[in-house]
Amino acid sequence: MKPGADIITKDLIAQHGLSDEEYKKIVEILGREPNLTELGLFSVMWSEHCSYKSSRIHLKKLPTTGIRVVQGPGENAGAVDIGDGLCAVFKMESHNHPSFIEPYQGAATGVGGILRDIFTMGARPITLLDSLRFGLLDRPLNRHLFKGVVAGIAGYGNCMGVPTVGGEAVFNDIYSQNPLVNVFCLGIAKKDKLFKGLAAGIGNPVIYVGSKTGRDGIHGATMASDSFDEASEAKRPTVQVGDPFTEKLLLEACLELMAGDLLVGIQDMGAAGLTSSSCEMASRAGNGVELDLTHVPRREPNMTPYELMLSESQERMLMIAREGREEEVLKICRKWDLSAAVVGRVTSDGMLRVKDNGKVVAEVPAKALAEEGPRYERPSAPPAFQDHLQSLNFDLLPDVKDATAVLLSLLESPTIASKRWVYQQYDHMVRTNTLVRPGSDAAVVRIKGTNKALAMTTDGNSRYCVLNPYLGASIAVAEAARNLVCSGAEPIGLTDCLNFGNPERPDIMWQFILCIEGIKDACDAFNIPVVSGNVSFYNETNGLSIYPTPILGMVGLIEPADRAMTPWFKQAGDQIILLGATKEDLGGTEYLRVVHQREQGTPPLLNLETEKTLQHCVLRLIREGLVRSAHDCSDGGVAVALAECCVTNSLQPLGAVVKLAAGPLRFDSLLFGESQSRVVLSVSPAHCEAVLRKAGEAGVEATVIGTVGGERLVVEVEAGGRGSGCRIDADLETLYDRWGNSLERSLTHP
């Protein structure tokens, strides 16, 4: 019995986001015109969000294998071996468009979705991180969006009992119409007990578990594959509503079902809902799935097959159970107060066949939906303004006059300032795994039952990427790895969330391709595999695109756990050592943006071998117990790094007296330039000579620049033969107030 025909018009095809050529391909695959339900299936599965049609050929360039890789890209999440029969399962996802339309629910359901990606693999989630990009906080709309997103992340994560232990927030006017909400989650699983999204075993039952299906989120995947305009507010109904309490029940039920060996496959009903989960599971296994929508639990009357298949209602899973054990599965689901029903069977014919009230309403090859969507190698070319962006004559910029005032301005810039206002809303100590709380270079959590810990960070500098996409993306990898190393961890795996504008524009594709190349080359140099990820295109409104924003979530292993390191000064009298060389690297810096209102120039140059040598040296020094604190130099340069070392531990702030020699450098380059491959260490006087010697043997430049102690940060800059130098002199209370309280002031007293 063939599904009934519908009248498919050109307008209807366009409304579903399909081109004429894509529609012709659908007709060719089916050998006939699709009906409305089938058109909807293709629409969501061939959307950019689900099919990666503009990015897939480029993503294949990324390194995805390695000795620790247990599961690479292609599943719900990636996994790396951490020893003791365990693996870390992690992924990062975006929920950008929904968070702009409805900030609380958009962010909350983003957290819910990434949590499900992790426990679908059989891993218990133990930590969340967020990476946020918003417009400047002097605008009421941006403050509203930012507060709503933070509340949504807090509300969902806190209710789930999964700690949000770290992340980042960056503010730039370019994100005023397109905020970015990227969420990272990590869980722990037994290496030999990972579950995959496979519809395996002909005749096995397909079981629906979780919340009932409603009309929320229909065409959410299509919305995420489109640009915004003045009508975006009307898309509010496509934002789903999350229920973390149901998700908590779903989590526990899934883990119990997995422990009981009742399942052969499982997948979250995320973007495209029942459609994506069923056809992707069938396609991966080379099988088909037959669904009977009559049995799908629903919370609204008179839902059509189209609505049931495309709904993105939250907190739902699709499971493939072992034949004959359906009742055991349903009994456990009922125990956890979850809706559950057998809604189909695995078949051998490779088709996704959908029935409703005994009638076939859709019949499509599963692989055609999941794997045979269009693949585009879109044209790419640099934007006409690229040369202008990279050109900047620093000789026309006045050098710093009042270095103390500049430092205080940088510390209160919301991108650099403490994110305490954000993370105080998160329960970052639940489950008692957290060793290093938010505010450090990386978050650190212990792995109970072992002597190991994992460090995690999210990083990405979009200003670097708009000026030089290749270099900016390479620096993102280097900085993420440097943050982990400064925390005492060996980087072992990476997930990415690649946020860009409209891929149909050649300049956007040029940015994207170069960012991929930059990530690839840096990952190859550091031997860090990319095991999972996400691409978010169409982040633009009325033709104005965001900056290219590749966000990287990186995981590192600390063994033993007590070798975890933090950035703040610990002991008066300790020596301060700067590792690495400072150069004239002012292009694309936070200093240029804050002080000179410019976003121009070439980002700091990065030598991958130099960076690799530095990181090996730092990790060795930490593991040998020679270091009391380690902090990388990034936004705001060495002056900001020193200030953060003084005040990051608000319970025991410690000042410092530092002397720097400018040599041929401008004062602002020396203090606020963002030269790569630099780390500030503090070491006891007894270990100072050993640290300098080992750094020298490794080929890393190392200079004693000062001493920890006192209640002020004093930095004297010697000018050499160029007249008078300059000086930073500020008390710790002022430094902390500017750095620690400015974000809250911006949100409450704009």
Side-chain angles (χ1 to χ4, degrees), residues 441-587:
D441 284 331
V444 180
V445 296
R446 70 167 57 86
I447 307 303
K448 287 176 180 171
T450 75
N451 195 24
K452 305 174 191 291
L454 292 176
M456 290 147 288
T457 185
T458 57
D459 280 290
N461 189 316
S462 60
R463 198 165 53 246
Y464 290 172
C465 288
V466 76
L467 298 175
N468 186 318
Y470 176 87
L471 189 52
S474 297
I475 288 174
V477 177
E479 183 171 346
R482 200 184 315 133
N483 282 331
L484 296 183
V485 165
C486 286
S487 300
E490 173 197 354
I492 59 174
L494 180 151
T495 182
D496 57 34
C497 200
L498 308 176
N499 307 273
F500 289 79
N502 183 346
E504 297 164 51
R505 287 172 44 185
D507 56 322
I508 301 300
M509 277 311 297
W510 177 81
Q511 293 172 339
F512 180 80
I513 292 167
L514 284 183
C515 280
I516 291 289
E517 295 286 351
I519 294 170
K520 171 194 177 298
D521 288 350
C523 285
D524 281 340
F526 302 136
N527 197 27
I528 302 172
V530 180
V531 297
S532 59
N534 174 63
V535 176
S536 175
F537 277 132
Y538 295 98
N539 290 289
E540 64 177 50
T541 297
N542 294 327
L544 178 64
S545 170
I546 63 164
Y547 288 167
T549 312
I551 303 297
L552 306 181
M554 196 178 289
V555 177
L557 181 64
I558 304 174
E559 190 175 15
D562 62 8
R563 285 297 186 215
M565 183 57 55
T566 51
W568 48 84
F569 293 144
K570 309 294 193 305
Q571 182 70 48
D574 280 354
Q575 298 293 288
I576 303 169
I577 297 174
L578 177 63
L579 298 182
T582 302
K583 303 169 185 174
E584 291 276 16
D585 283 318
L586 284 177

Side-chain angles (χ1 to χ4, degrees), residues 315-326:
E315 294 87 35
R316 301 181 301 160
M317 288 281 181
L318 199 64
M319 302 176 175
I320 310 299
R322 298 191 185 280
E323 192 169 13
R325 307 194 71 179
E326 297 94 326

